[in-house]
Amino acid sequence: MNVILVFLAAIGAIIFWWLSGQRLTSKPWLETGSMQLPDHHSADRQPVPAVKIGLFVFLGVVGALFSLAVSAYFIRMASADWWGMPVPRLLWVNTAALALSSAALQWAKREARHGRMEALRPALVTGLALAVFFLVGQIQAWRELTAAGYVLADNPANSFFYMLTGLHGLHILGGLAVLTHTTVKAFATDVAPERLRLSVDLSAIYSHFMLAVWLLLFALFAGWANDFVDLCRTLLK
């Protein structure tokens, strides 16, 4: 329960910060009667697209889902039939690939904002290729573990590992479908950068979120999250 509260509080803080930056928390009924100087930055700011708000709502639901799964992981870990499993070294490579993919999409977001198609295309291809590499690496890590005897039904630790990494991989796969469509559109001869800006922005946000979830899972499997949970329990007492 403590893990859920901390994780949801972090998600809520991030969403509140983002909404504040989009001026969705302003009170126009308090501003209409006052004389203010024109704010050129506010005038240039475009309204928030509904699809972006929908993405943040979806990510909030996904975050709650993973927080529940992580909480169940800690509860089940206290059972007598639980014994740990080794973390494949390949997961380090996969983590680096996912981090670089997220960085490449942030690069693509910047290039799309400035309308530089020559740099946008390689940035999208790099982000897409590294995300695919991550998924292939995850499948290879599964194969290494099963070859070593760490099968799904052997003990609860194995089941949670395959369930959590599989769930995360499915979300990555869903993001890849959108990113692939965006990348293909970027190579069309008649496409304008303005038509890609929102799609690239959404792909970057989604990638950053999936990277954050994976870092949490990786810390969980490596055993680093135990100290963090103990600290949270101490602070919430």
Side-chain angles (χ1 to χ4, degrees), residues 25-106:
T25 56
S26 62
K27 300 178 180 179
W29 58 88
L30 298 179
E31 300 175 358
T32 53
S34 60
M35 297 297 295
Q36 296 181 350
L37 294 175
D39 187 351
H40 298 287
H41 295 287
S42 299
D44 295 337
R45 180 170 294 172
Q46 299 296 323
V48 182
V51 65
K52 181 176 284 190
I53 298 177
L55 175 62
F56 273 86
V57 173
F58 173 75
L59 294 182
V61 174
V62 173
L65 174 64
F66 275 102
S67 65
L68 289 172
V70 170
S71 180
Y73 182 95
F74 281 110
I75 294 174
R76 192 66 179 85
M77 191 170 55
S79 303
D81 60 344
W82 181 283
W83 62 89
M85 60 184 301
V87 176
R89 294 182 178 179
L90 185 57
L91 291 188
W92 288 94
V93 179
N94 298 345
T95 302
L98 191 61
L100 291 174
S101 175
S102 184
L105 290 180
Q106 184 63 31

Side-chain angles (χ1 to χ4, degrees), residues 2-230:
N2 292 340
V3 177
I4 296 175
L5 293 176
V6 172
F7 194 80
L8 291 181
I11 293 176
I14 294 173
I15 293 177
F16 179 79
W17 167 81
W18 179 79
L19 291 177
S20 298
Q22 302 294 336
R23 294 181 59 85
L24 295 181
T25 56
S26 62
K27 300 178 180 179
W29 58 88
L30 298 179
E31 300 175 358
T32 53
S34 60
M35 297 297 295
Q36 296 181 350
L37 294 175
D39 187 351
H40 298 287
H41 295 287
S42 299
D44 295 337
R45 180 170 294 172
Q46 299 296 323
V48 182
V51 65
K52 181 176 284 190
I53 298 177
L55 175 62
F56 273 86
V57 173
F58 173 75
L59 294 182
V61 174
V62 173
L65 174 64
F66 275 102
S67 65
L68 289 172
V70 170
S71 180
Y73 182 95
F74 281 110
I75 294 174
R76 192 66 179 85
M77 191 170 55
S79 303
D81 60 344
W82 181 283
W83 62 89
M85 60 184 301
V87 176
R89 294 182 178 179
L90 185 57
L91 291 188
W92 288 94
V93 179
N94 298 345
T95 302
L98 191 61
L100 291 174
S101 175
S102 184
L105 290 180
Q106 184 63 31
W107 169 32
K109 177 181 176 180
R110 184 178 67 251
E111 300 302 331
R113 184 181 305 154
H114 291 89
R116 296 191 286 257
M117 293 297 296
E118 295 79 7
L120 173 61
R121 293 186 180 100
L124 288 173
V125 171
T126 301
L128 178 63
L130 287 169
V132 172
F133 180 88
F134 171 81
L135 285 180
V136 174
Q138 294 294 83
I139 295 174
Q140 181 61 30
W142 279 13
R143 296 181 61 184
E144 291 181 3
L145 288 172
T146 54
Y150 296 95
V151 295
L152 176 65
D154 193 25
N155 79 90
N158 297 3
S159 300
F160 268 96
F161 176 85
Y162 289 115
M163 184 268 290
L164 289 173
T165 54
L167 184 62
H168 180 265
L170 286 176
H171 283 87
I172 293 289
L173 189 61
L176 277 178
V178 177
L179 181 56
T180 301
H181 179 70
T182 303
T183 304
V184 171
K185 285 178 59 178
F187 281 89
T189 56
D190 57 345
V191 67
E194 293 77 14
R195 296 179 57 188
L196 295 172
R197 190 173 301 165
L198 178 59
S199 182
V200 173
D201 190 16
L202 297 178
S203 296
I205 294 172
Y206 190 84
S207 176
H208 299 339
F209 183 84
M210 286 295 108
L211 173 62
V213 171
W214 172 248
L215 292 177
L216 172 65
L217 295 179
F218 189 52
L220 189 71
F221 301 140
W224 303 331
N226 296 334
D227 295 337
F228 175 74
V229 172
D230 293 338

